[in-house]
Coordinates of all heavy atoms in Angstrom, one line a residue:
M1 N 52.5 67.9 100.3 CA 52.1 69.1 99.8 C 52.7 70.2 100.7 O 52.5 70.1 101.9 CB 50.6 69.2 99.7 CG 50.0 70.5 99.2 SD 48.2 70.5 99.1 CE 47.8 68.9 98.6
K2 N 53.3 71.2 100.1 CA 53.9 72.3 100.9 C 53.1 73.6 100.7 O 52.9 74.0 99.5 CB 55.4 72.5 100.6 CG 56.0 73.6 101.5 CD 57.5 73.6 101.4 CE 58.0 74.7 102.2 NZ 59.5 74.8 102.0
I3 N 52.7 74.2 101.8 CA 51.9 75.4 101.7 C 52.6 76.5 102.5 O 53.1 76.2 103.6 CB 50.5 75.2 102.3 CG1 49.8 74.0 101.6 CG2 49.6 76.4 102.3 CD1 48.6 73.5 102.4
V4 N 52.7 77.7 102.0 CA 53.3 78.8 102.7 C 52.2 79.9 102.9 O 51.6 80.3 102.0 CB 54.5 79.4 102.0 CG1 55.1 80.5 102.8 CG2 55.6 78.3 101.8
C5 N 52.1 80.3 104.2 CA 51.2 81.3 104.6 C 52.0 82.6 104.7 O 53.0 82.7 105.3 CB 50.5 81.0 105.9 SG 49.5 79.6 105.9
V6 N 51.5 83.7 104.0 CA 52.2 84.9 103.9 C 51.5 86.1 104.5 O 50.3 86.3 104.3 CB 52.6 85.2 102.4 CG1 53.3 86.5 102.2 CG2 53.4 84.0 101.9
C7 N 52.3 87.0 105.1 CA 51.8 88.3 105.5 C 53.0 89.3 105.3 O 54.0 88.9 104.9 CB 51.2 88.4 107.0 SG 52.5 88.3 108.2
G8 N 52.8 90.5 105.7 CA 53.8 91.5 105.4 C 55.1 91.3 106.1 O 56.1 91.4 105.5
M9 N 55.0 91.0 107.4 CA 56.3 90.7 108.2 C 56.6 89.3 108.4 O 57.6 88.9 108.9 CB 56.2 91.5 109.5 CG 56.1 93.0 109.4 SD 57.5 93.7 108.6 CE 58.7 93.5 109.8
G10 N 55.6 88.4 108.2 CA 55.8 87.0 108.4 C 55.7 86.5 109.9 O 56.2 85.5 110.2
L11 N 55.1 87.4 110.6 CA 55.0 87.1 112.1 C 53.5 86.9 112.6 O 53.1 85.9 113.1 CB 55.7 88.2 112.9 CG 57.1 88.4 112.6 CD1 57.7 89.6 113.3 CD2 57.9 87.2 113.1
G12 N 52.7 88.0 112.5 CA 51.4 88.0 113.0 C 50.4 87.2 112.3 O 50.0 86.1 112.7
S13 N 49.8 87.8 111.3 CA 48.7 87.2 110.6 C 49.1 85.9 109.8 O 48.3 85.0 109.7 CB 48.0 88.2 109.7 OG 48.8 88.6 108.7
S14 N 50.3 85.8 109.4 CA 50.7 84.6 108.7 C 50.8 83.4 109.7 O 50.5 82.3 109.3 CB 52.1 84.7 108.0 OG 53.1 85.0 108.9
L15 N 51.2 83.7 110.9 CA 51.2 82.6 111.9 C 49.7 82.1 112.3 O 49.4 81.0 112.4 CB 51.9 83.0 113.2 CG 52.0 82.0 114.3 CD1 52.7 80.7 113.8 CD2 52.8 82.6 115.5
I16 N 48.9 83.1 112.4 CA 47.4 82.8 112.7 C 46.9 82.0 111.5 O 46.2 81.0 111.6 CB 46.6 84.1 112.9 CG1 47.1 84.7 114.3 CG2 45.1 83.8 113.0 CD1 46.6 86.1 114.5
L17 N 47.2 82.5 110.3 CA 46.7 81.8 109.1 C 47.3 80.4 109.0 O 46.6 79.5 108.6 CB 47.1 82.7 107.8 CG 46.6 82.2 106.5 CD1 45.1 82.0 106.5 CD2 47.1 83.1 105.4
K18 N 48.5 80.2 109.4 CA 49.1 78.9 109.4 C 48.3 77.9 110.2 O 47.9 76.8 109.8 CB 50.6 78.9 109.9 CG 51.2 77.6 110.1 CD 52.6 77.7 110.7 CE 53.4 76.5 110.9 NZ 52.8 75.4 111.7
M19 N 47.9 78.4 111.4 CA 47.1 77.5 112.3 C 45.7 77.3 111.7 O 45.2 76.2 111.7 CB 47.0 78.2 113.7 CG 48.3 78.2 114.4 SD 48.2 78.8 116.1 CE 47.9 80.5 115.8
S20 N 45.1 78.3 111.0 CA 43.8 78.1 110.4 C 43.9 77.2 109.2 O 43.0 76.3 109.0 CB 43.3 79.5 109.9 OG 43.0 80.3 111.0
V21 N 45.0 77.2 108.4 CA 45.1 76.4 107.3 C 45.3 74.9 107.8 O 44.7 74.0 107.2 CB 46.4 76.8 106.4 CG1 46.8 75.7 105.4 CG2 46.0 78.1 105.7
E22 N 46.1 74.7 108.8 CA 46.3 73.4 109.3 C 45.0 72.8 109.8 O 44.7 71.6 109.5 CB 47.3 73.4 110.5 CG 48.7 73.6 110.0 CD 49.7 73.9 111.2 OE1 49.3 74.3 112.3 OE2 50.9 73.7 110.9
S23 N 44.2 73.5 110.5 CA 42.8 73.1 110.9 C 41.9 72.8 109.7 O 41.3 71.7 109.7 CB 42.2 74.1 111.8 OG 42.9 74.3 113.0
A24 N 41.9 73.7 108.7 CA 41.1 73.5 107.6 C 41.5 72.2 106.8 O 40.6 71.5 106.3 CB 41.1 74.7 106.7
M25 N 42.8 72.0 106.6 CA 43.3 70.9 105.9 C 42.9 69.6 106.6 O 42.4 68.6 105.9 CB 44.8 70.9 105.7 CG 45.3 72.1 104.9 SD 44.9 71.9 103.1 CE 46.2 70.8 102.6
K26 N 42.9 69.5 107.9 CA 42.5 68.4 108.6 C 41.0 68.1 108.5 O 40.6 67.0 108.3 CB 42.9 68.5 110.1 CG 44.4 68.4 110.3 CD 44.8 68.6 111.8 CE 46.3 68.6 111.9 NZ 46.7 69.0 113.3
Q27 N 40.2 69.2 108.5 CA 38.8 69.1 108.3 C 38.5 68.6 106.9 O 37.4 67.9 106.7 CB 38.1 70.4 108.5 CG 38.0 70.9 110.0 CD 37.3 72.2 110.1 OE1 36.6 72.7 109.3 NE2 37.5 72.8 111.3
L28 N 39.3 68.9 106.0 CA 39.1 68.4 104.6 C 39.6 66.9 104.4 O 39.5 66.3 103.4 CB 39.9 69.3 103.6 CG 39.3 70.7 103.4 CD1 40.3 71.6 102.6 CD2 38.0 70.6 102.7
G29 N 40.1 66.4 105.5 CA 40.6 65.0 105.5 C 41.9 64.8 104.9 O 42.3 63.6 104.6
L30 N 42.7 65.8 104.8 CA 44.0 65.8 104.2 C 45.1 65.6 105.3 O 45.0 66.3 106.3 CB 44.3 67.0 103.3 CG 43.3 67.2 102.2 CD1 43.5 68.6 101.5 CD2 43.4 66.1 101.1
K31 N 46.1 64.8 105.0 CA 47.1 64.5 106.1 C 48.5 64.8 105.6 O 49.3 65.0 106.4 CB 46.9 63.0 106.5 CG 45.6 62.7 107.2 CD 45.5 61.3 107.5 CE 44.1 61.1 108.2 NZ 43.7 59.7 108.2
D32 N 48.8 64.6 104.3 CA 50.1 64.8 103.8 C 50.4 66.2 103.4 O 50.3 66.5 102.2 CB 50.3 63.8 102.6 CG 51.8 63.8 102.2 OD1 52.7 64.1 103.0 OD2 52.1 63.4 101.1
F33 N 50.6 67.1 104.4 CA 50.9 68.5 104.1 C 51.8 69.1 105.1 O 51.9 68.6 106.2 CB 49.6 69.3 104.0 CG 48.8 69.4 105.3 CD1 49.1 70.3 106.2 CD2 47.8 68.4 105.6 CE1 48.3 70.4 107.4 CE2 47.1 68.5 106.7 CZ 47.4 69.4 107.7
D34 N 52.5 70.1 104.7 CA 53.4 70.9 105.6 C 53.1 72.4 105.4 O 53.1 72.8 104.2 CB 54.9 70.6 105.2 CG 55.9 71.4 106.1 OD1 55.6 71.5 107.3 OD2 56.9 71.8 105.5
V35 N 52.8 73.1 106.5 CA 52.5 74.5 106.4 C 53.6 75.3 107.1 O 53.9 75.0 108.2 CB 51.1 74.8 107.0 CG1 50.7 76.2 106.8 CG2 50.1 73.8 106.4
E36 N 54.1 76.3 106.4 CA 55.0 77.3 106.9 C 54.5 78.7 106.8 O 53.5 78.9 106.1 CB 56.4 77.2 106.2 CG 57.1 75.9 106.3 CD 58.4 75.9 105.5 OE1 58.9 77.0 105.2 OE2 58.9 74.8 105.3
H37 N 55.1 79.6 107.5 CA 54.7 81.0 107.4 C 55.9 81.9 107.1 O 57.0 81.5 107.5 CB 53.9 81.5 108.6 CG 54.6 81.5 109.9 ND1 55.2 82.7 110.4 CD2 55.0 80.6 110.7 CE1 55.8 82.4 111.5 NE2 55.7 81.1 111.7
A38 N 55.7 82.9 106.3 CA 56.8 83.8 105.9 C 56.3 85.2 105.6 O 55.1 85.4 105.5 CB 57.4 83.2 104.6
S39 N 57.2 86.1 105.3 CA 56.9 87.4 105.0 C 56.8 87.5 103.4 O 57.3 86.7 102.7 CB 58.0 88.4 105.4 OG 59.2 88.2 104.7
S40 N 56.0 88.5 103.0 CA 55.9 88.6 101.5 C 57.2 88.9 100.8 O 57.3 88.6 99.6 CB 54.8 89.7 101.2 OG 55.3 91.0 101.7
G41 N 58.2 89.5 101.5 CA 59.5 89.8 100.9 C 60.4 88.6 100.7 O 61.3 88.6 99.9
T42 N 60.1 87.5 101.5 CA 61.0 86.3 101.4 C 60.4 85.2 100.6 O 61.0 84.2 100.3 CB 61.3 85.8 102.8 OG1 60.1 85.4 103.5 CG2 62.1 86.8 103.6
I43 N 59.1 85.3 100.2 CA 58.4 84.1 99.5 C 59.0 83.8 98.2 O 59.0 82.6 97.8 CB 56.9 84.4 99.4 CG1 56.2 83.2 99.0 CG2 56.6 85.6 98.4 CD1 56.2 82.1 100.0
G44 N 59.7 84.7 97.5 CA 60.2 84.5 96.2 C 61.3 83.4 96.2 O 61.5 82.6 95.3
G45 N 62.0 83.2 97.3 CA 63.0 82.2 97.4 C 62.6 80.9 98.0 O 63.4 80.0 98.2
M46 N 61.3 80.8 98.3 CA 60.8 79.6 98.9 C 60.1 78.7 97.9 O 59.5 79.1 96.9 CB 59.8 79.9 100.0 CG 60.4 80.7 101.1 SD 59.2 81.1 102.4 CE 59.2 79.5 103.3
N47 N 60.2 77.4 98.1 CA 59.5 76.4 97.3 C 58.2 76.0 98.0 O 58.2 75.6 99.1 CB 60.4 75.2 97.1 CG 59.9 74.2 96.1 OD1 59.0 74.6 95.2 ND2 60.3 73.0 96.2
A48 N 57.1 76.1 97.2 CA 55.8 75.7 97.8 C 54.9 75.3 96.7 O 55.0 75.8 95.5 CB 55.2 76.9 98.5
D49 N 53.9 74.4 97.0 CA 52.9 74.0 96.0 C 51.9 75.2 95.8 O 51.5 75.4 94.7 CB 52.2 72.8 96.5 CG 53.1 71.6 96.5 OD1 53.6 71.2 95.4 OD2 53.3 71.0 97.5
F50 N 51.6 75.9 96.9 CA 50.8 77.1 96.8 C 51.0 78.0 98.0 O 51.5 77.5 99.0 CB 49.4 76.8 96.4 CG 48.6 76.0 97.4 CD1 47.9 76.6 98.4 CD2 48.5 74.7 97.3 CE1 47.1 75.9 99.3 CE2 47.8 73.9 98.2 CZ 47.1 74.5 99.2
I51 N 50.5 79.2 97.9 CA 50.6 80.2 98.9 C 49.2 80.6 99.4 O 48.3 80.6 98.6 CB 51.3 81.5 98.3 CG1 52.7 81.2 97.9 CG2 51.3 82.6 99.3 CD1 53.3 82.2 97.0
V52 N 49.1 80.8 100.7 CA 47.8 81.3 101.2 C 48.1 82.6 101.9 O 49.1 82.7 102.7 CB 47.2 80.3 102.2 CG1 45.9 80.8 102.7 CG2 47.1 78.9 101.6
T53 N 47.3 83.6 101.6 CA 47.4 84.9 102.2 C 46.1 85.6 102.3 O 45.1 85.2 101.7 CB 48.4 85.8 101.4 OG1 48.8 87.0 102.1 CG2 47.9 86.1 100.0
A54 N 46.1 86.7 103.0 CA 44.9 87.5 103.2 C 44.6 88.3 101.9 O 45.5 88.7 101.2 CB 45.1 88.5 104.4
E55 N 43.3 88.6 101.7 CA 42.9 89.3 100.6 C 43.6 90.7 100.5 O 43.9 91.2 99.4 CB 41.4 89.6 100.7 CG 40.8 90.3 99.5 CD 40.8 89.4 98.2 OE1 40.5 88.2 98.3 OE2 41.1 90.0 97.1
D56 N 44.0 91.2 101.6 CA 44.7 92.5 101.6 C 46.1 92.5 100.9 O 46.6 93.6 100.5 CB 45.0 92.9 103.1 CG 43.8 93.2 103.9 OD1 42.7 93.3 103.3 OD2 43.9 93.2 105.1
F57 N 46.6 91.3 100.6 CA 47.9 91.2 100.0 C 47.8 90.9 98.5 O 48.8 90.5 97.9 CB 48.8 90.2 100.7 CG 49.2 90.6 102.1 CD1 48.5 90.2 103.2 CD2 50.3 91.5 102.2 CE1 48.9 90.6 104.5 CE2 50.6 91.9 103.5 CZ 50.0 91.5 104.6
R58 N 46.6 91.0 97.9 CA 46.4 90.7 96.5 C 47.4 91.4 95.6 O 47.9 90.8 94.7 CB 45.0 90.9 96.1 CG 44.7 90.4 94.7 CD 43.2 90.5 94.4 NE 42.4 89.6 95.0 CZ 42.2 88.3 94.6 NH1 42.8 87.9 93.5 NH2 41.4 87.5 95.3
D59 N 47.7 92.7 95.9 CA 48.6 93.4 95.0 C 50.0 93.0 95.1 O 50.8 93.3 94.2 CB 48.5 94.9 95.5 CG 47.2 95.6 95.2 OD1 46.4 95.0 94.4 OD2 46.9 96.7 95.8
E60 N 50.4 92.2 96.1 CA 51.7 91.6 96.2 C 52.0 90.5 95.2 O 53.1 90.1 95.1 CB 52.0 91.1 97.6 CG 51.8 92.2 98.7 CD 53.1 93.1 98.8 OE1 54.2 92.6 98.5 OE2 52.9 94.3 99.1
F61 N 50.9 89.9 94.7 CA 51.0 88.7 93.9 C 50.3 88.8 92.5 O 49.5 88.0 92.1 CB 50.4 87.5 94.6 CG 51.1 87.2 95.9 CD1 50.6 87.7 97.1 CD2 52.3 86.5 96.0 CE1 51.2 87.5 98.3 CE2 52.9 86.3 97.2 CZ 52.4 86.8 98.4
P62 N 50.7 89.8 91.7 CA 50.0 90.0 90.4 C 50.3 88.9 89.5 O 51.5 88.5 89.3 CB 50.5 91.4 89.9 CG 51.9 91.5 90.6 CD 51.8 90.8 91.9
G63 N 49.3 88.4 88.8 CA 49.5 87.4 87.7 C 49.8 86.0 88.2 O 50.1 85.2 87.4
R64 N 49.9 85.8 89.5 CA 50.2 84.4 90.0 C 48.9 83.6 90.1 O 47.9 84.1 90.6 CB 50.9 84.5 91.3 CG 52.3 85.1 91.1 CD 53.1 85.1 92.4 NE 53.4 83.7 92.7 CZ 54.4 83.3 93.5 NH1 55.2 84.3 94.0 NH2 54.7 82.1 93.8
D65 N 49.1 82.3 89.7 CA 47.9 81.5 89.9 C 48.1 80.4 91.0 O 47.4 79.4 91.1 CB 47.6 80.8 88.5 CG 48.7 79.8 88.1 OD1 49.8 79.8 88.7 OD2 48.4 79.0 87.1
D66 N 49.1 80.6 91.8 CA 49.4 79.7 92.9 C 49.1 80.3 94.2 O 49.7 79.9 95.2 CB 50.8 79.2 92.8 CG 51.9 80.3 93.0 OD1 51.5 81.5 92.8 OD2 53.0 79.9 93.2
V67 N 48.2 81.3 94.3 CA 47.9 82.0 95.5 C 46.5 81.8 95.9 O 45.6 82.1 95.0 CB 48.3 83.5 95.4 CG1 48.1 84.2 96.8 CG2 49.8 83.6 95.0
V68 N 46.2 81.5 97.1 CA 44.8 81.4 97.7 C 44.6 82.7 98.5 O 45.4 82.9 99.5 CB 44.6 80.2 98.5 CG1 43.2 80.1 99.1 CG2 44.9 78.9 97.7
F69 N 43.6 83.5 98.2 CA 43.4 84.7 98.9 C 42.2 84.4 99.9 O 41.1 83.9 99.5 CB 43.0 85.8 98.0 CG 44.2 86.2 97.1 CD1 44.3 85.8 95.8 CD2 45.3 87.0 97.7 CE1 45.4 86.2 95.0 CE2 46.3 87.3 96.9 CZ 46.4 86.9 95.6
V70 N 42.4 84.7 101.1 CA 41.4 84.4 102.2 C 40.8 85.7 102.7 O 41.6 86.7 103.0 CB 42.1 83.7 103.3 CG1 41.2 83.4 104.5 CG2 42.7 82.4 102.8
Q71 N 39.5 85.8 102.9 CA 38.8 86.9 103.4 C 39.1 87.1 104.9 O 39.3 88.3 105.4 CB 37.3 86.8 103.2 CG 36.9 86.9 101.8 CD 37.1 88.3 101.2 OE1 37.0 89.3 101.9 NE2 37.4 88.3 99.9
N72 N 39.1 86.1 105.7 CA 39.3 86.2 107.1 C 40.2 85.1 107.6 O 39.9 83.9 107.6 CB 37.9 86.0 107.8 CG 38.0 86.3 109.3 OD1 39.0 86.0 110.0 ND2 36.9 86.9 109.8
V73 N 41.4 85.5 108.0 CA 42.5 84.5 108.3 C 42.2 83.8 109.7 O 42.8 82.8 109.9 CB 43.9 85.2 108.4 CG1 44.2 85.8 107.1 CG2 44.0 86.2 109.5
V74 N 41.4 84.3 110.5 CA 41.1 83.8 111.8 C 40.0 82.7 111.7 O 40.1 81.7 112.4 CB 40.6 84.9 112.8 CG1 40.3 84.3 114.2 CG2 41.8 85.9 113.0
K75 N 39.0 82.9 110.9 CA 37.9 81.9 110.8 C 38.3 80.7 109.9 O 38.5 80.9 108.7 CB 36.7 82.6 110.2 CG 36.1 83.7 111.1 CD 34.8 84.2 110.6 CE 34.1 85.1 111.7 NZ 32.8 85.5 111.2
V76 N 38.3 79.6 110.5 CA 38.7 78.4 109.8 C 37.8 78.1 108.7 O 38.2 77.6 107.6 CB 38.8 77.2 110.8 CG1 39.1 75.9 110.1 CG2 39.9 77.5 111.9
D77 N 36.5 78.3 108.9 CA 35.5 78.1 107.8 C 35.8 78.9 106.6 O 35.6 78.4 105.5 CB 34.1 78.4 108.3 CG 33.6 77.3 109.3 OD1 34.2 76.2 109.4 OD2 32.6 77.6 110.0
S78 N 36.2 80.1 106.8 CA 36.6 81.0 105.6 C 37.8 80.5 104.9 O 37.8 80.4 103.7 CB 36.8 82.4 106.1 OG 37.3 83.3 105.1
V79 N 38.8 80.1 105.7 CA 40.0 79.5 105.1 C 39.7 78.2 104.4 O 40.1 77.9 103.3 CB 41.1 79.3 106.2 CG1 42.3 78.5 105.6 CG2 41.5 80.6 106.8
K80 N 38.9 77.3 105.0 CA 38.5 76.1 104.4 C 37.8 76.2 103.1 O 38.1 75.6 102.1 CB 37.6 75.3 105.4 CG 37.2 73.9 104.9 CD 36.3 73.2 105.9 CE 35.7 72.0 105.3 NZ 34.6 71.4 106.3
A81 N 36.8 77.2 103.0 CA 36.1 77.5 101.8 C 37.1 77.9 100.7 O 36.9 77.5 99.5 CB 35.0 78.5 102.0
A82 N 38.0 78.8 101.0 CA 39.0 79.3 100.0 C 39.9 78.1 99.5 O 40.1 78.0 98.3 CB 39.8 80.4 100.6
L83 N 40.3 77.3 100.5 CA 41.1 76.1 100.1 C 40.4 75.1 99.2 O 40.9 74.6 98.2 CB 41.7 75.4 101.3 CG 42.7 76.2 102.1 CD1 43.0 75.4 103.4 CD2 44.0 76.3 101.3
E84 N 39.1 74.8 99.6 CA 38.3 73.9 98.8 C 38.1 74.4 97.4 O 38.2 73.6 96.4 CB 36.9 73.8 99.4 CG 36.9 72.8 100.6 CD 35.5 72.6 101.1 OE1 34.8 73.6 101.5 OE2 35.0 71.5 101.2
E85 N 37.8 75.7 97.2 CA 37.7 76.3 95.9 C 38.9 76.2 95.1 O 38.9 75.7 93.9 CB 37.2 77.7 96.0 CG 37.0 78.4 94.6 CD 36.5 79.8 94.8 OE1 36.1 80.2 95.8 OE2 36.6 80.5 93.7
Y86 N 40.1 76.6 95.7 CA 41.3 76.6 94.9 C 41.8 75.1 94.6 O 42.1 74.8 93.5 CB 42.4 77.3 95.8 CG 43.8 77.2 95.1 CD1 44.2 78.1 94.1 CD2 44.7 76.2 95.5 CE1 45.4 78.0 93.6 CE2 45.9 76.1 94.9 CZ 46.3 77.0 94.0 OH 47.5 76.9 93.4
M87 N 41.8 74.3 95.6 CA 42.3 72.9 95.5 C 41.4 72.1 94.6 O 41.9 71.3 93.8 CB 42.5 72.3 96.8 CG 43.6 72.9 97.7 SD 43.7 72.3 99.3 CE 44.5 70.7 99.0
G88 N 40.1 72.3 94.6 CA 39.2 71.7 93.7 C 39.4 72.0 92.3 O 39.5 71.2 91.4
A89 N 39.7 73.3 92.0 CA 39.9 73.8 90.7 C 41.2 73.3 90.1 O 41.4 73.1 88.9 CB 39.9 75.3 90.7
K90 N 42.2 73.0 91.0 CA 43.5 72.6 90.6 C 43.6 71.0 90.6 O 44.6 70.5 90.3 CB 44.6 73.1 91.5 CG 44.8 74.6 91.5 CD 45.4 75.1 90.2 CE 45.7 76.5 90.2 NZ 46.3 77.0 89.0
G91 N 42.5 70.4 91.0 CA 42.5 68.9 91.1 C 43.3 68.3 92.2 O 43.9 67.2 92.1
L92 N 43.5 69.1 93.3 CA 44.2 68.6 94.4 C 43.4 68.0 95.5 O 43.9 67.5 96.5 CB 45.0 69.9 95.0 CG 46.0 70.5 94.1 CD1 46.6 71.8 94.7 CD2 47.1 69.6 93.7
L93 N 42.1 68.0 95.4 CA 41.2 67.3 96.4 C 40.8 66.0 95.8 O 40.5 65.8 94.7 CB 40.0 68.2 96.6 CG 40.2 69.4 97.6 CD1 38.9 70.2 97.7 CD2 40.7 69.0 98.9

């Protein structure tokens, strides 16, 4: 499973989010995943099963159903809850 974490520049919050996603996925007992981070401007050319980003970037992804929006990118519990909800609904858990 390939996951891309996105922020405006692809440096700060997306890197923090990448680490939170990796921790959350491990807590969920998942092992077969690859997490990358990128800027919102480059995501169009990337292949991913789904995208994870902060709630602040909701306007960047109108009409997409492959995006997980996270309230707090630093808190692993917040990221885990968002991933559980999304992945459960998509049958990925």
Side-chain angles (χ1 to χ4, degrees):
M1 178 179 322
K2 184 171 178 182
I3 304 164
V4 178
C5 298
V6 176
C7 73
M9 297 299 289
L11 300 171
S13 59
S14 65
L15 180 57
I16 293 168
L17 184 56
K18 175 187 184 293
M19 293 185 288
S20 295
V21 167
E22 289 171 337
S23 294
M25 294 289 281
K26 288 176 185 173
Q27 287 181 15
L28 291 169
L30 302 170
K31 296 177 181 160
D32 188 22
F33 62 89
D34 179 38
V35 185
E36 295 182 18
H37 63 101
S39 70
S40 59
T42 61
I43 191 65
M46 298 181 79
N47 186 24
D49 292 301
F50 61 92
I51 298 164
V52 183
T53 191
E55 185 67 41
D56 297 345
F57 292 98
R58 187 173 287 276
D59 292 342
E60 299 283 328
F61 301 97
R64 291 188 66 159
D65 67 347
D66 62 342
V67 183
V68 179
F69 296 101
V70 177
Q71 292 291 328
N72 188 326
V73 300
V74 177
K75 291 189 175 183
V76 175
D77 288 344
S78 176
V79 173
K80 181 181 171 188
L83 289 172
E84 279 182 307
E85 181 179 343
Y86 175 84
M87 295 174 72
K90 297 287 185 178
L92 299 173
L93 283 179

